[in-house]
Amino acid sequence: MQLVKVGLCAFGMSGKIFHAPFLKEHPGFFMSAVVERSKNDSKEKYPEITIYRSVEEMLQNADIELVVVNTPVQTHFEYAKMALEAGKNVIVEKPFTVDVTEAEELVKLAEEKGLFVSVYQNRRFDRDFLQIQKILNDHKLGTMKEVEIRFDRFRTEPSGKQHKENPVEAGSGSLHDLGAHLVDQAVQLFGYPEKLFADVFSMKGSEFANDYFEILLYYKDNLRVRLKSSVFSKEAHYAYILHGSKGSFLQERSDNQENELVAGTIPEYGENWTLPLKDPDGILNFVNTNSETERVLTSSEPGNYMNYYQAVYEHIVFGYPLPSPGKEVVQNMKIIDAVLESAAAEKIIDLK
């Protein structure tokens, strides 16, 4: 196989959990470099890599073809731009950048350089989201009328991470973190909305960045899509609630890849490496073609973040479509910017 040499810009949780294991196990990638400013943690697990003390130093390595920008969002624009100017293809962690202006500049620069920028939207490869796509493609619910997508947690104490919780830091808070996933999933499922209204604030208090949001997306044909997240949710809700003209579907947030990776599971290439479900994770209730009501428990198929890196590899080697290209994810940033505008002005924002 053609070998693609990759450099990681950081070795925190994102690098250790979401990137390094997949780059190591995929036979088409060679993780040759990692930036660690003072530690040598990556060397202990991946002895073949070279440690650099700065992104600038790593980018001088001419052999590196692909750079993963997995640093705090406030640095995404700077490091991605540096990598593109150094002639490297780039993967950027969500939410891409802090605003749409930065995102558009990176996309334009990549096009000028003949390079690519892909945004790591790994939640497209969660088992629960894949199940939602399957249900919609089956058309058993009829015309969609109302949808809710939630990502809740119970994290009532501050994390101490300034880049995530400092309210004066652009890009900090749940909206750019979890919201980037929910916005992306809504756009993947239903396209770009016509209007939106949003409520965004901090339940922990004004000295912290937003930890709660509720976004109402307005689509044509009277479809409403609600995106919601709170850190004061001790009891789990259904993560996806779909109501259509012929029925409803409720889906739990059942993907466990992150937890299994944290526990040390190796994501084997070409295998469904996650643990199987013990119980059904969805409820489908609809009127069938015989005008009879059917209510069935459903079980989603395994998700696999390796499929993201497989798609990136196939783009590099065979020219297949790039997963979550920057040009596509720019529209997510437009929505996030509009959400902040709506919340501040307490008004509906027209996106057309």
Side-chain angles (χ1 to χ4, degrees):
M1 297 181 71
Q2 179 179 330
L3 202 60
V4 177
K5 294 186 177 181
V6 186
L8 277 181
C9 287
F11 200 65
M13 179 194 174
S14 173
K16 292 175 182 177
I17 302 304
F18 292 116
H19 297 288
F22 296 96
L23 292 168
K24 174 65 175 179
E25 295 303 314
H26 193 293
F29 291 106
F30 178 69
M31 188 171 59
S32 62
V34 175
V35 175
E36 289 193 80
R37 299 192 180 279
S38 58
K39 299 180 180 179
N40 299 303
D41 293 348
S42 57
K43 197 76 170 178
E44 296 176 10
K45 194 162 188 178
Y46 307 103
E48 68 277 8
I49 61 98
T50 299
I51 292 178
Y52 292 95
R53 298 308 183 190
S54 70
V55 174
E56 294 88 340
E57 184 184 9
M58 183 182 73
L59 292 177
Q60 294 176 17
N61 185 334
D63 292 335
I64 294 174
E65 182 177 349
L66 176 63
V67 170
V68 180
V69 179
N70 58 321
T71 50
V73 61
Q74 293 83 4
T75 65
H76 285 187
F77 174 74
E78 176 189 359
Y79 290 151
K81 184 177 181 180
M82 286 170 51
L84 290 169
E85 289 176 337
K88 318 296 185 184
N89 291 307
V90 176
I91 291 172
V92 186
E93 269 281 0
K94 59 80 192 169
F96 199 179
T97 54
V98 299
D99 58 40
V100 69
T101 302
E102 291 185 346
E104 289 175 335
E105 184 173 337
L106 291 179
V107 169
K108 182 181 178 182
L109 179 60
E111 290 176 346
E112 292 172 349
K113 295 283 188 179
L115 301 166
F116 72 74
V117 175
S118 173
V119 182
Y120 184 66
Q121 293 286 357
N122 61 309
R123 297 293 175 181
R124 295 186 187 184
F125 301 89
D126 278 356
R127 70 184 307 145
D128 34 65
F129 178 68
L130 295 173
Q131 179 74 341
I132 295 300
Q133 289 182 311
K134 179 178 182 297
I135 291 294
L136 289 174
N137 289 337
D138 288 343
H139 302 294
K140 291 180 179 179
L141 301 181
T143 303
M144 295 310 304
K145 296 296 183 181
E146 181 186 4
V147 174
E148 180 170 288
I149 308 176
R150 305 181 65 118
F151 204 138
D152 296 309
R153 289 171 169 167
F154 189 69
R155 296 183 178 177
T156 61
E157 298 299 322
S159 69
K161 297 179 180 178
Q162 286 296 302
H163 68 278
K164 287 190 174 184
E165 293 191 329
N166 187 341
V168 300
E169 283 274 12
S172 63
S174 290
L175 176 62
H176 280 74
D177 185 15
L178 299 180
H181 290 307
L182 302 193
V183 168
D184 183 71
Q185 292 188 351
V187 172
Q188 288 297 299
L189 295 173
F190 306 109
Y192 196 71
E194 295 184 333
K195 297 182 291 185
L196 66 77
F197 180 77
D199 182 23
V200 182
F201 72 103
S202 173
M203 287 186 164
K204 289 196 291 288
S206 59
E207 65 270 33
F208 299 101
N210 64 80
D211 56 20
Y212 169 92
F213 61 80
E214 183 168 5
I215 306 165
L216 185 61
L217 304 177
Y218 299 74
Y219 286 87
K220 62 181 181 179
D221 300 325
N222 297 321
L223 170 63
R224 296 291 186 268
V225 178
R226 182 178 293 103
L227 312 178
K228 191 171 182 180
S229 179
S230 168
V231 292
F232 285 84
S233 184
K234 183 65 171 173
E235 188 70 23
H237 300 267
Y238 281 101
Y240 303 86
I241 301 174
L242 281 63
H243 297 304
S245 60
K246 294 183 179 179
S248 299
F249 182 64
L250 311 180
Q251 172 66 44
E252 297 175 9
R253 188 168 298 285
S254 54
D255 193 276
N256 203 40
Q257 290 182 78
E258 180 176 344
N259 292 333
E260 292 184 45
L261 290 164
V262 170
T265 301
I266 303 299
E268 297 180 36
Y269 176 75
E271 302 288 339
N272 287 326
W273 51 273
T274 57
L275 295 172
L277 289 177
K278 294 181 180 180
D279 300 297
D281 59 345
I283 301 173
L284 176 61
N285 190 333
F286 70 105
V287 178
N288 63 25
T289 54
N290 297 322
S291 299
E292 299 171 337
T293 295
E294 290 188 38
R295 187 180 188 275
V296 295
L297 301 181
T298 60
S299 296
S300 58
E301 297 297 319
N304 193 344
Y305 298 154
M306 184 68 81
N307 291 339
Y308 170 82
Y309 269 111
Q310 177 64 18
V312 170
Y313 183 78
E314 291 176 350
H315 174 76
I316 294 172
V317 177
F318 305 115
Y320 291 174
L322 181 69
S324 47
K327 189 172 183 178
E328 173 188 288
V329 181
V330 161
Q331 62 188 353
N332 296 356
M333 298 308 306
K334 290 181 180 178
I335 292 173
I336 289 174
D337 282 5
V339 165
L340 292 173
E341 181 185 354
S342 174
E346 299 182 349
K347 68 177 184 178
I348 294 174
I349 303 298
D350 194 325
L351 295 168
K352 289 180 294 185

